[in-house]
Amino acid sequence: MRKIKKILVANRGEIALRIMRSAREAGIQTVAVFSEADRQSLHVRYADEAICIGPPPSSESYLRIDKILDAARQTGADAIHPGYGFLSENETFAQRVEDAGLIFIGPSAKAIELMGSKLAAKAAVAAFNVPLVPGTAEPITDVAKAKEIAATIGYPILIKASAGGGGKGMRVVENEASFAEQMERATSEATSAFGDGSVFIEKYVTSPRHIEFQIFGDKHGNVVHLFERECSIQRRHQKVVEEAPSSVLTPEKRKLMGEAAINAARACGYYGAGTIEFILDDKLNFYFLEMNTRLQVEHPVTEAITGLDLVQLQIKIAEGEKIPFKQEDLQMHGHAVEIRVYAEDPTNNFLPDIGTLKTYKRPQGHGIRVDDGFEQGMAIPFYYDPMIAKLICHAESREAAIEKMIRAIQDYEITGLETTLGFCEFVMKHEAFRSGNFDTRFVEKYFTPAGLQPEHTHTEEALVAILAGTLLKNNGHRVAEGALATAGTTASKWRKNRS
């Protein structure tokens, strides 16, 4: 047992703030590190101490292990929390933190390294009878041999980078004719993104759902799961909407998947917070996908349905305490939905729309939580991920949580740039989502930019043309004023929020 007195948070923005709040409630001091682009950020102002660690590019600041360790030494921090992203799943960072005599608030470097390789992770969990998608057990570089294996598995197949994630180095191959080209692209992208071009192939599940289980282990060999999260609403293989629990899991299936998640954690001697990700096919068969050896972006929905503070639990485990409850003690309460509010334009292929928050007013009310790192007047830096905030709604039922989310989205005021709020409202109102009958291809199946346009027969351009014709025909200002008023009321609220 070693009590933590001061935590350096090796991250920025909303997750840094979220960690610092839990630390403060536990009576622990905090240290912020920041790049020159984040000098005025909220997490810098909130921390007890703050150290600048370099220029804006993350490669010169948030990814510099030496500068982060120097900041810890300067401030006397005795522990480091990596948050998510940046160095959170870097085994070298975890090891160097411990070698420096500091507490790493996360898993062991060995567990990070093992689960950081998809192939090594699959081999480890297979030994614990965790279901796997049919595919290769080793990296493939020979195209001809890979083609033979793909033919045995059966198309469509998926080529995936062994290292990394986020959809990089991933290609779906529908037939043998396009295999060589897609494998070359996947290898090239993996090399560029992760410095490792190794790939493997597996059967592509055509209509999968993405279900993940939150697990916690301690340093005494205890492991529990905190139920599942549904993360199937994605764009570019990255999550936008998450909820807990999933609307499709029966109690029996939840028990089976939870046990598999615990076994996967045991496969690497895991302690701390982690997530076991599964894909679920249309017959509810589940297969291990990967393990994330860190706190997840979507952890607030798990906190909402369990009533637990996952960051405080991470800290206690890092100090050497046992998990203070057993699996049978845990129960789910209500339903929670989370959306990620990105500075992106959904009508332009979700491309970043970086700018200044001219207006920024958060929604409020019972069961509504906003995790963010910005305030009105601040600019969204183009150096980092364009997420502005996470909006979480909790209610007694899934239907009530969805309705609360719709109201919260409509109350969220952001101007100065485009955001994903309109897209998320589209999801909340769509029959496929409301019925629970959806998969990871939701965007591909149902979303087009026209889905965010006003619900009327004319586009805004058409209304302008109608207005011009009306002016010519009637030659009167009153008619023009009436037409303008009509055009204003039919424009969507989301579109009008831009100024």
Side-chain angles (χ1 to χ4, degrees), residues 81-387:
H81 195 305
Y84 51 70
F86 295 130
L87 294 168
S88 63
E89 292 181 282
N90 185 304
E91 65 271 17
T92 301
F93 179 53
Q95 189 61 58
R96 287 190 59 182
V97 169
E98 296 204 354
D99 290 346
L102 307 176
I103 296 173
F104 182 71
I105 304 178
S108 67
K110 182 179 179 181
I112 295 173
E113 182 179 16
L114 177 62
M115 288 301 173
S117 167
K118 291 182 174 63
L119 290 174
K122 288 174 69 174
V125 303
F128 281 71
N129 298 315
V130 178
L132 300 175
V133 177
T136 59
E138 296 179 352
I140 294 290
T141 55
D142 185 285
V143 175
K145 183 179 178 181
K147 276 187 178 181
E148 291 179 9
I149 296 173
T152 302
I153 296 173
Y155 289 92
I157 61 101
L158 187 65
I159 301 175
K160 299 174 68 176
S162 178
K168 294 181 176 65
M170 182 184 296
R171 290 289 187 278
V172 177
V173 185
E174 299 288 348
N175 51 61
E176 185 176 344
S178 60
F179 184 90
E181 179 186 0
Q182 295 300 332
M183 183 169 174
E184 182 179 346
R185 289 183 178 181
T187 301
S188 175
E189 190 172 298
T191 302
S192 176
F194 313 118
D196 181 354
S198 61
V199 299
F200 63 97
I201 62 175
E202 64 185 23
K203 179 68 178 175
Y204 179 62
V205 181
T206 54
S207 298
R209 296 178 77 112
H210 187 151
I211 308 288
E212 62 187 29
F213 272 70
Q214 176 71 63
I215 62 94
F216 262 89
D218 62 29
K219 297 178 181 179
H220 305 274
N222 302 304
V223 184
V224 297
H225 74 79
L226 307 185
F227 310 110
E228 82 278 4
R229 298 186 287 255
E230 170 82 59
C231 306
S232 299
I233 305 296
Q234 305 176 0
R235 52 95 178 93
R236 297 194 298 273
H237 300 290
Q238 294 180 321
K239 307 160 191 172
V240 185
V241 177
E242 298 102 352
E243 60 179 313
S246 169
S247 62
V248 296
L249 292 193
T250 62
E252 295 76 20
K253 185 64 66 173
R254 180 173 292 113
K255 185 175 186 295
L256 285 174
M257 293 182 73
E259 289 171 351
I262 288 173
N263 284 336
R266 292 191 187 284
C268 61
Y270 199 83
Y271 57 79
T275 303
I276 308 299
E277 304 200 4
F278 298 101
I279 54 174
L280 193 75
D281 68 18
D282 55 1
K283 296 181 178 60
L284 299 188
N285 298 308
F286 66 93
Y287 307 98
F288 173 81
L289 183 63
E290 63 182 353
M291 182 179 192
N292 289 309
T293 54
R294 54 173 166 78
L295 194 67
Q296 291 280 90
V297 177
E298 56 274 19
H299 76 274
V301 293
T302 297
E303 292 185 322
I305 66 167
T306 61
L308 296 170
D309 183 324
L310 300 196
V311 172
Q312 287 199 3
L313 187 55
Q314 281 186 296
I315 293 170
K316 289 178 181 178
I317 288 170
E319 291 177 328
E321 291 190 25
K322 291 183 178 181
I323 296 172
F325 47 79
K326 299 183 183 299
Q327 188 66 54
E328 56 268 26
D329 298 329
L330 294 167
Q331 292 185 343
M332 294 185 292
H333 303 282
H335 197 96
V337 181
E338 173 179 307
I339 66 168
R340 304 189 191 187
V341 184
Y342 284 103
E344 295 178 348
D345 186 355
T347 67
N348 189 24
N349 198 31
F350 292 92
L351 291 178
D353 190 41
I354 304 303
T356 299
L357 297 168
K358 294 182 179 178
T359 306
Y360 187 72
K361 296 181 180 179
R362 305 168 184 85
Q364 299 180 357
H366 178 69
I368 293 175
R369 168 178 169 179
V370 178
D371 282 14
D372 61 14
F374 294 96
E375 61 187 4
Q376 189 166 295
M378 291 180 66
I380 309 297
F382 66 84
Y383 301 99
Y384 316 114
D385 185 272
M387 188 170 71

Side-chain angles (χ1 to χ4, degrees), residues 426-472:
F426 169 87
V427 174
M428 294 299 120
K429 292 181 176 179
H430 198 282
E431 176 57 28
F433 180 76
R434 297 182 75 94
S435 67
N437 184 27
F438 60 93
D439 55 45
T440 56
R441 295 173 61 236
F442 178 92
V443 171
E444 178 185 339
K445 286 181 178 179
Y446 303 117
F447 179 71
T448 62
L452 296 183
Q453 297 300 324
E455 295 183 0
H456 53 73
T457 57
H458 301 300
T459 64
E460 292 182 20
E461 290 80 3
L463 284 169
V464 172
I466 293 170
L467 171 59
T470 304
L471 285 169
L472 289 172

